[in-house]
Amino acid sequence: MEQAINSFISYLHNVKKTSDNTVMSYRRDLKKVNNYMQEQGILDVSEITVTSLNSYVLFLEKNKFSAATISRNIASIKAFYYFMLKEGLIAEDVSDVLKAPRIEKKIPDVLSTVEVINLLEQPSGDSPKELRDKAMLELLYATGIRVTELITLRISDLNLQMGYIICHDNNKNTGKERIIPFGNAARSAIVKYLSGGRERMLIDRETDILFVNCQGQPMSRQGFWKLIKYYAKKAGIKTDITPHTIRHSFAAHLVENGADLHIVQEMLGHSDISTTQIYANMHHNRMRDVYAKAHPRR
C-alpha cells in the first residue's frame, strides 16, 4: 500500500501541481490509513474491503476525531482510490460506499471593530520590525487574505497607486487569481515599511517577497502566528486569536456594513457561497439579539 501512496503523492506533486499544504494533508491522512491496515494484517490495497474501510472510519469515530477531520480523511481515501482506479492499480473502487459525516458549521470567532483597531495600533514604532508588523496587520485586515497568501505575497503582486493586491490561488494548476482592494490605512503602512524598513531587513539579500524576517528571508507561518499573538496580548485581547480570526473579522465587518455577499465571497476566494453565508447569518443573529434586548414590544 505504501508504494501506491507514494505514487499518488508523486502524481499530486508533479502532475496535478497540487499545493504543498494539500499534498502534506493527503500524505498524513493516507499514512494513518496505512498504519491502521497494517495493524489489521492488511499489507496490500487489493486486500482492503468495504468492511475494512468502514472499520477504519469507526476507529476514527471511537477515538473522538472531529467530523471535519473524518470528512477530510474520507475525501483523501476517495481521491486515492480514484487515482488507483484510473491508473489500473485496482479493479474496483471500494471507497465509493463511504459517506462523510454531517458537519455542523461552527460560528467563527470575530473581533469587534474596537478590538481590531486596538490590535492594529500596537506596532507604533519606527524600527524595521515594527514597520513591517504594522504593514502586515493592516494588510491582513484590509484584504482578509489567508496567512499563507500574506507571507508569500510579492512586490509584483502589489499595486500601491491603485490600491489593490493580486492574490494567487495556492493550487498552482488552476492559475486562478483574485484582485483585492485595500484602503489608505494599509497603503500608508506599506509605504512606510517599503521606504523605511524592508531594505534594512534584507541585509543585502534580493527577493521579490514583500514581507521578510529579520534575517532578510521570507516570513514563516509560525513566525507570523507568534507575532499576532504577541500584539493581541499587548492590546489586552483576552480571546485566543489566530490570523484566521482577522480574516473572519474582515468578512463579518464587511457584511455588517452592507457589503454584497457575492463580492465578499470573491475577495475571500470561497468557491461556494454557502461558506460565505455564515457571516450573513452571524449578522442576522446579532440583529435579532439587539432587537430582543431593545424593542419595547419584543
Side-chain angles (χ1 to χ4, degrees), residues 79-222:
F80 177 49
Y81 266 86
Y82 177 79
F83 163 78
M84 290 194 295
L85 192 66
K86 187 179 173 184
E87 294 295 310
L89 300 175
I90 54 172
E92 180 188 7
D93 184 357
V94 294
S95 75
D96 195 46
V97 298
L98 294 179
K99 303 295 181 188
R102 188 167 179 269
I103 302 173
E104 294 293 331
K105 288 190 176 179
K106 183 185 173 186
I107 300 297
D109 293 324
V110 300
L111 299 177
S112 68
T113 306
V114 173
E115 285 176 319
V116 170
I117 292 172
N118 195 17
L119 175 69
L120 300 182
E121 288 178 346
Q122 293 313 306
S124 56
D126 292 326
S127 69
K129 183 181 181 303
E130 285 193 279
L131 291 175
R132 180 206 64 194
D133 296 350
K134 173 75 169 174
M136 292 186 83
L137 290 174
E138 288 283 3
L139 189 61
L140 184 66
Y141 179 62
T143 59
I145 56 177
R146 301 172 181 91
V147 62
T148 302
E149 294 168 335
L150 179 71
I151 63 175
T152 57
L153 199 66
R154 297 182 176 275
I155 290 180
S156 53
D157 299 324
L158 177 69
N159 189 317
L160 278 173
Q161 185 176 357
M162 300 298 292
Y164 68 79
I165 57 170
I166 299 174
C167 195
H168 303 277
D169 195 307
N170 284 333
N171 188 336
K172 293 169 281 190
N173 194 45
T174 64
K176 289 182 180 177
E177 59 184 35
R178 61 193 197 276
I179 295 175
I180 313 171
F182 57 82
N184 290 330
R187 181 191 285 109
S188 175
I190 294 169
V191 168
K192 287 179 181 177
Y193 163 64
L194 289 175
S195 61
R198 186 173 180 274
E199 287 299 321
R200 290 156 67 189
M201 298 184 82
L202 280 175
I203 319 172
D204 296 326
R205 293 178 183 270
E206 288 189 14
T207 178
D208 191 36
I209 293 293
L210 178 58
F211 297 113
V212 296
N213 63 21
C214 294
Q215 286 74 49
Q217 297 174 335
M219 286 279 292
S220 67
R221 287 171 58 91
Q222 293 80 4

Side-chain angles (χ1 to χ4, degrees), residues 215-231:
Q215 286 74 49
Q217 297 174 335
M219 286 279 292
S220 67
R221 287 171 58 91
Q222 293 80 4
F224 187 70
W225 274 57
K226 289 178 182 177
L227 179 156
I228 206 167
K229 288 183 182 297
Y230 167 75
Y231 287 117

